[in-house]
Amino acid sequence: HQTKLKSRNFPCPSLPAPLRMQQYEDLGSVVSGYETVEQSLAADDGRARLLLLGAKRSGKTSILQVVFQKMSPHETLFLDPTSSLEVTDISNNTFVHLKILDFPGGYDFTDKKISPEVVFKWDGSIVFVIDQQDGQDDLTAVEHFLDVARLALSVNPKIAIDVLIHKVEAEAESFHDDLNERVRHIRQVIIEQLREERLNVHPTFHLTSIYDHTIFEAFSKIVQKRIPQMLQLENLLSGLVMNCRIEKAYVFDVISKIYIATDNSDLDHFYELCSDAIDVVIDVSRIYSEEQKGGGSKNSEDGGGGLGPYDSKSG
């Protein structure tokens, strides 16, 4: 038995033409030559795979929409829970070339039609989201994480694992001590359980929120692990910083605002400033784009959005 797929396209009228996204989900029609979700997962298309997993309402889909679909964080409150596996292909440029798998909350691989081998055998990273605001016992989320880690490592011992301790909101300063204790407890339990079960993996932990820059910084570091040229890019930027006497250098993906590479200096407080600057440039570009003037452009015909400085040749 094979499950048909349904296409879901998310128009982004304010973004340049290189942004091309497609999603697949159960019960639908043929998309881009793939008749089933199994075929889309089995395709060797050269994309690094990010597997979004976690409990129900942990914020996985909201993260995907905010980072890669430019949805306002406040609009994510109206998103429906993910009911079936959704696969999003992202081709922003040569480096940001991803296939993101958004699994329903609490997904049980032992009870589904999709083979774990098809999911985990590729080069990629598990991005496990834990809602630190959830009132449920932390052990429930940790047990789900361990189930996923065991299965993934049995298929692909080299797979990377990133844990997003999510919904760490800046306005929770009054509960700062409680938050630190809760985060420390989650990390400690996960590390102890991995050590106890002798699972040879060292997950990277990130504190994130969709209401500030932390989620973009986290995904920047996750994507960087999937870039083979990372060391060369870092060396080039470090040489630029040293020879030009500048404080910090980044290579940004303008569409998603994640940074592909940076120099090897320890300064890390410039990201927020650079991210805000990108927002300003895009807003100004939108004002003076040909589409806004009613002139029509090649980008508007391809569904791009007619950003002046960031046309289809800019990547």
Side-chain angles (χ1 to χ4, degrees), residues 52-56 60 82-86 102-107 144:
L52 281 176
L53 290 150
K56 293 181 179 179
K60 305 182 304 302
T82 304
S83 59
S84 59
L85 172 60
E86 297 181 358
D102 184 11
F103 290 87
Y107 193 83
H144 183 202

Side-chain angles (χ1 to χ4, degrees), residues 184-252:
R184 186 199 63 79
H185 174 68
I186 293 172
R187 294 183 59 167
Q188 181 179 351
V189 171
I190 288 177
I191 292 172
E192 288 178 354
Q193 289 296 321
L194 290 173
R195 186 182 300 120
E196 183 178 323
E197 299 199 20
R198 297 183 179 180
L199 295 176
N200 186 24
V201 64
H202 303 283
T204 304
F205 293 88
H206 310 269
L207 305 185
T208 59
S209 170
I210 59 174
Y211 292 96
D212 56 31
H213 297 85
T214 54
I215 190 61
F216 296 95
E217 292 190 78
F219 263 83
S220 297
K221 295 172 182 176
I222 292 169
V223 171
Q224 286 169 19
K225 296 178 184 179
R226 312 267 61 87
I227 299 177
Q229 306 90 345
M230 187 63 206
L231 181 59
Q232 290 86 341
L233 288 172
E234 181 179 304
N235 290 336
L236 287 171
L237 292 176
S238 298
L240 175 67
V241 167
M242 182 177 63
N243 290 296
C244 297
R245 299 180 182 180
I246 57 180
E247 291 185 85
K248 191 71 176 174
Y250 293 92
V251 175
F252 268 90

